[in-house]
Amino acid sequence: MAVQAVYFSDRDGLNMALKNPETMLFTSKADADARDKVLELAEEIQVYLARKVEGLSDELAEKCAMVIAEDKDLFQKALKKPDLLNTAQD
């Protein structure tokens, strides 16, 4: 029997990672660190959105923040070329 190391972000927590292994468990520390950075960015975006958008629910702010954080490269490019946001992405 072989032993395999798996990594997860502390921000996700072990229980959440085990419930969603396909997206939250990683075979490399680098991938887990990248996930952690996305989650850190999403937390900051969520706080920003909650502060700037009156009446925005915590749940919706969290969902919006995750979308932005997960697609941060696209948003960075869109700052120079806005139509990229709505160009078909697959």
Side-chain angles (χ1 to χ4, degrees):
M1 178 185 282
V3 174
Q4 181 180 9
V6 292
Y7 301 90
F8 64 94
S9 170
D10 285 341
R11 292 177 194 277
D12 283 328
L14 179 58
N15 289 335
M16 182 64 77
L18 291 174
K19 289 179 185 175
N20 302 290
E22 64 282 345
T23 58
M24 296 182 183
L25 286 179
F26 305 96
T27 57
S28 77
K29 185 178 182 313
D31 290 342
D33 285 340
R35 168 74 180 171
D36 192 60
K37 287 183 186 226
V38 166
L39 294 173
E40 181 180 6
L41 177 59
E43 285 177 17
E44 294 298 325
I45 293 170
Q46 180 181 353
V47 170
Y48 176 84
L49 290 173
R51 187 177 72 242
K52 290 291 201 172
V53 181
E54 188 176 325
L56 185 65
S57 71
D58 287 343
E59 182 181 347
L60 187 54
E62 181 181 357
K63 287 179 182 180
C64 291
M66 277 304 294
V67 167
I68 294 168
E70 288 173 344
D71 285 335
K72 71 177 180 142
D73 294 336
L74 174 62
F75 277 89
Q76 287 174 333
K77 292 175 186 173
L79 291 172
K80 294 181 181 178
K81 190 173 180 189
D83 65 325
L84 289 175
L85 287 175
N86 294 308
T87 302
Q89 302 284 324
D90 289 324

